[in-house]
Amino acid sequence: MILDLDVFIETERSFWDELQVMLKRQVKQPDRRLSMDEVRRFQYLYQRASADLVKINTFAGDVEIKAYLESLVARSYSQLHEQGDRHTRLSPLVWLWVTFPQTFRRHWRAFALSFGTFLVGSGFGAGMLASDYEIKSDLIPGQFGHLSGKPSERVSMEENQKFDYFEERQTFSATLMANNIKVSYMAMVMGFSYGVFTVIMMFYNGVLIGAIAFDYVADGQGVFLLAWLLPHGSIELPAIFIGGQAGLVLGRAMFGWGTNLRLRQRLRLIRADLITLIVGASLMMVWAGLIESFLSQYHGAALYPGKIIFGAIELAALILFLSLAGRKRAKGNL
Amino acid sequence: MALGKTSELKILTPEGVEFSLPLAGPLTRCVAWAFDLVVIVALFQLISQVLMILSLVSRDMSTALMVALQFVTLVGYGIFFEWFWRGQTLGKRIMSLQVIDERGLTLKLNQIILRNLFRVLDSLPMFYMVGGLACLFSARAQRLGDLAAGTLVIRRLVVAEPEIDELLEGNENSFQDYPRLQARLRQRVSPQEVRLAVDAVLRRNELSLEARLRVFEQLADFFRAKVEFPDEVTHGLSDEQYVRNVVATLFNRKMSK
């Protein structure tokens, strides 16, 4: 303790008070832009408080002054070292047409693995049902009760219903959106288990769809199945795969293959991509929810060709969008 | 507790200055979350009351909007407030907590979104058990969402300037006639030892008479061993007065009336 604390505090207090006032103002008005002079002054005061903290640590033992200065320096530090995106204008169109498809393509291997796992699951589900039809009730959970009976009976019932028997389409649509978006979130966050649970989720979804598809095709209801699933499924299933893709990107970052970066650094690198993928998947789920409620549930032989064509066009458009959108910009950035 | 668990985040700035931020524990965070839950439930109520009017026109549309808005509220509450209040929700504000970047920087939007989306995992199987356990066992009290997003929750303490003068009011510092010895004392005492002496003086009235005598006796002996003041100064000086002189010396207070 070789610092004259009285003199030190007396000299520095006015600077600390000034910094305190600037910090309080910034907290009260977070979006207020400082002028260049204010920024310079703020930086000067921050550096001065930092130097004072070093002096206190080195030459004096006052714990309370140290805590006070630490609090001041910590708050100033976080204000001064902003990471930049608070004042960046979000451009939804650029994000949709450039950022999202570019991010999707950057991680295409993770998408391929997600989709591939689903396909393997589908094959497994179909194979299981082909080998032993009795296990259908075990494969298809209770919540899909309308799928437990014979497909041709359900088709006949659906086709003979009055056109507007289903009176709560809007609620159904909102519920579908919320549930499906939750499923894609889950597929992503499960990537934290080094991707294991994401793979299991994709596989399980595949088993379910594979078993249902086999059941309908084996019963001669392939056209109904396509007309029922394709309009919304052509968007909903890829959205689930993209959720899985995000989960596998996260899983890979957890493993850290091919890099000597630490886990924190690896996660920092993929964070923006995860958000882009999951927000993209959520938007796709909103569209799929609308289509599933307002188009997919209308059945009738006359409607099937139109519904299948609509679903096929959607799928083609999605493939084109994800493979081509934002390519020019990507080249330009190189 | 996990090995190496810490209660504060130490940050070394590019200027070479080190400072620490106190980390929030699972219990404080849980209370903050309970406050947030109350707000979310209140928002749900508000939404349903407003949509009651719409249900007179279309019950289906009213229910659909209710489902959609409840979902948006559940997911968006944390994201909205943590973004606009720089790492604080209403509950965190009440509990003086704040989410920060693990390097002490301000949060990026993608960090806020990611830590909030991870709530679907952290809240499993119920009452945030996964997140609570992760928080309890992780070195820096992080739930899984914090680990993925690179965030921490700290206790936001605005420390007031200390009032040493008040503490030493009425104290006559007889050591002041020996500035060289005072300087030596300041040099030999560590910050933790200063803290100990200040705390003892601050809390002296909370102690029983016996404990008070014993504590100040031990402290006085401790500081006597650091620097020996002449008998003419220490003669007849109680242990407590001795320690108060030490504190006055360490803070370089000349004399109080």
Side-chain angles (χ1 to χ4, degrees):
Chain A
M1 297 260 307
I2 52 172
L3 190 71
D4 188 330
L5 268 177
D6 270 347
V7 176
F8 178 69
I9 292 171
E10 210 167 294
T11 318
E12 297 301 307
R13 177 173 285 184
S14 60
F15 296 103
W16 301 342
D17 288 346
E18 192 183 342
L19 183 57
Q20 184 90 277
V21 168
M22 287 188 98
L23 280 169
K24 276 186 184 164
R25 195 170 50 203
Q26 210 53 34
V27 169
K28 273 187 187 162
Q29 302 161 276
D31 289 322
R32 181 175 170 272
R33 302 293 293 263
L34 298 177
S35 69
M36 186 50 87
D37 286 343
E38 283 177 310
V39 172
R40 285 202 186 105
R41 185 68 183 162
F42 186 77
Q43 191 189 11
Y44 170 74
L45 293 170
Y46 159 72
Q47 285 174 339
R48 189 156 187 137
S50 300
D52 290 343
L53 179 59
V54 172
K55 277 182 204 160
I56 284 284
N57 278 333
T58 315
F59 302 116
D62 191 312
V63 177
E64 283 176 328
I65 290 284
K66 181 176 173 253
Y68 171 69
L69 281 176
E70 276 196 341
S71 152
L72 210 56
V73 170
R75 284 182 292 147
S76 313
Y77 175 76
S78 70
Q79 288 289 335
L80 207 61
H81 294 81
E82 270 207 275
Q83 298 187 78
D85 69 350
R86 184 164 285 272
H87 301 293
T88 310
R89 277 182 78 91
L90 285 176
S91 174
L93 276 181
V94 172
W95 178 87
L96 185 66
W97 289 101
V98 180
T99 313
F100 175 47
Q102 279 182 359
T103 308
F104 170 82
R105 290 195 294 272
R106 193 160 49 247
H107 300 290
W108 70 269
R109 285 185 184 87
F111 180 83
L113 183 56
S114 170
F115 181 43
T117 311
F118 175 88
L119 285 183
V120 172
S122 304
F124 184 79
M128 290 274 283
L129 209 60
S131 63
D132 181 7
Y133 194 78
E134 296 303 310
I135 61 163
K136 181 180 167 183
S137 55
D138 298 324
L139 276 180
I140 298 171
Q143 68 193 86
F144 302 110
H146 58 294
L147 303 175
S148 57
K150 200 168 162 44
S152 49
E153 285 170 10
R154 182 199 166 202
V155 172
S156 157
M157 189 194 78
E158 295 274 10
E159 288 177 349
N160 291 315
Q161 289 283 2
K162 281 185 181 174
F163 192 68
D164 58 351
Y165 78 99
F166 192 19
E167 288 170 349
E168 294 188 336
R169 288 188 192 282
Q170 291 167 12
T171 305
F172 182 57
S173 176
T175 311
L176 284 172
M177 285 176 206
N179 286 342
N180 289 339
I181 290 172
K182 264 188 235 168
V183 169
S184 60
Y185 288 171
M186 202 47 115
M188 178 187 75
V189 301
M190 284 297 182
F192 210 70
S193 62
Y194 292 78
V196 173
F197 282 106
T198 302
V199 167
I200 291 173
M201 260 185 90
M202 290 300 120
F203 184 81
Y204 176 71
N205 274 300
V207 171
L208 203 63
I209 298 288
I212 294 167
F214 175 84
D215 194 21
Y216 277 72
V217 172
D219 200 26
Q221 303 301 329
V223 176
F224 173 89
L225 182 77
L226 275 179
W228 169 44
L229 289 185
L230 209 54
H232 67 274
S234 58
I235 302 295
E236 184 186 305
L237 288 175
I240 291 177
F241 304 151
I242 290 174
Q245 176 186 23
L248 292 172
V249 170
L250 178 58
R252 185 182 172 166
M254 295 298 293
F255 275 112
W257 288 320
T259 171
N260 55 3
L261 294 174
R262 297 171 68 189
L263 176 63
R264 273 182 214 154
Q265 295 169 311
R266 299 197 298 268
L267 291 173
R268 200 177 301 149
L269 285 177
I270 57 151
R271 216 169 276 146
D273 287 356
L274 293 185
I275 300 301
T276 300
L277 290 173
I278 209 65
V279 173
S282 302
L283 290 179
M284 289 164 70
M285 287 299 192
V286 171
W287 175 256
L290 289 171
I291 298 298
E292 181 167 4
S293 183
F294 292 99
L295 178 63
S296 298
Q297 306 302 333
Y298 290 96
H299 305 288
L303 293 171
Y304 294 156
K307 285 175 73 180
I308 292 171
I309 290 169
F310 178 77
I313 291 171
E314 274 183 310
L315 187 60
L318 181 67
I319 291 169
L320 283 173
F321 168 71
L322 290 173
S323 358
L324 299 177
R327 276 207 184 268
K328 268 188 184 170
R329 185 69 66 95
K331 278 179 188 165
N333 285 347
L334 288 175
Chain B
M1 299 274 176
L3 199 67
K5 192 172 175 71
T6 56
S7 60
E8 55 183 24
L9 168 72
K10 285 203 179 298
I11 290 168
L12 185 66
T13 71
E15 292 85 6
V17 181
E18 190 181 71
F19 61 87
S20 50
L21 296 165
L23 296 173
L27 195 66
T28 336
R29 293 180 65 172
C30 192
V31 177
W33 173 72
F35 279 120
D36 286 332
L37 196 63
V38 171
V39 178
I40 289 172
V41 170
L43 285 172
F44 279 11
Q45 285 297 321
L46 185 72
I47 290 167
S48 66
Q49 292 300 317
V50 171
L51 291 176
M52 283 266 280
I53 304 162
L54 184 66
S55 70
L56 298 173
V57 183
S58 164
R59 202 170 63 86
D60 185 24
M61 188 183 284
S62 162
T63 318
L65 275 174
M66 180 126 50
V67 171
L69 288 176
Q70 284 187 350
F71 178 72
V72 170
T73 306
L74 208 58
V75 176
Y77 171 81
I79 296 174
F80 178 83
F81 279 104
E82 285 176 9
W83 177 244
F84 283 101
W85 280 352
R86 298 194 178 226
Q88 290 189 306
T89 56
L90 204 66
K92 289 191 181 81
R93 238 177 199 212
I94 293 168
M95 296 305 294
S96 295
L97 304 181
Q98 188 182 11
V99 185
I100 59 161
D101 172 86
E102 62 190 357
R103 293 167 294 167
L105 310 177
T106 45
L107 291 169
K108 292 183 90 165
L109 184 60
N110 66 43
Q111 289 179 291
I112 293 174
I113 297 175
L114 198 61
R115 77 183 299 279
N116 279 289
L117 292 188
F118 258 79
R119 287 184 192 280
V120 291
L121 183 58
D122 278 313
S123 59
L124 291 176
M126 60 178 80
F127 304 122
Y128 274 81
M129 267 173 72
V130 168
L133 285 172
C135 192
L136 204 60
F137 288 100
S138 77
R140 298 194 292 176
Q142 291 168 291
R143 62 175 175 86
L144 298 185
D146 288 320
L147 289 166
T151 54
L152 294 165
V153 181
I154 57 157
R155 285 183 285 134
R156 193 38 113 186
L157 305 173
V158 178
V159 181
E161 288 179 59
E163 292 294 343
I164 294 299
D165 289 333
E166 253 175 54
L167 180 72
L168 297 171
E169 207 175 337
N171 185 50
E172 176 112 5
N173 186 2
S174 52
F175 293 174
Q176 63 179 330
D177 297 333
Y178 295 88
R180 281 172 186 276
L181 292 177
Q182 281 188 309
R184 194 175 299 164
L185 182 66
R186 286 190 206 108
Q187 215 165 6
R188 291 182 179 175
V189 176
S190 73
Q192 286 71 25
E193 290 159 358
V194 181
R195 176 78 263 176
L196 202 64
V198 171
D199 278 351
V201 177
L202 270 174
R203 299 171 62 184
R204 62 191 187 280
N205 293 327
E206 297 168 25
L207 302 171
S208 68
L209 187 62
E210 203 178 310
R212 185 167 170 171
L213 286 170
R214 204 168 54 241
V215 164
F216 280 102
E217 183 192 350
Q218 285 176 1
L219 281 171
D221 286 346
F222 176 78
F223 286 114
R224 278 188 198 107
K226 294 268 179 192
V227 174
E228 201 176 332
F229 282 87
D231 283 348
E232 61 184 80
V233 179
T234 56
H235 183 70
L237 202 64
S238 70
D239 289 334
E240 185 171 322
Q241 186 59 43
Y242 192 96
V243 174
R244 294 185 75 182
N245 280 0
V246 168
V247 172
T249 299
L250 294 174
F251 286 95
N252 203 28
R253 293 311 193 265
K254 306 274 183 297
M255 171 89 79
S256 300
K257 282 74 51 193

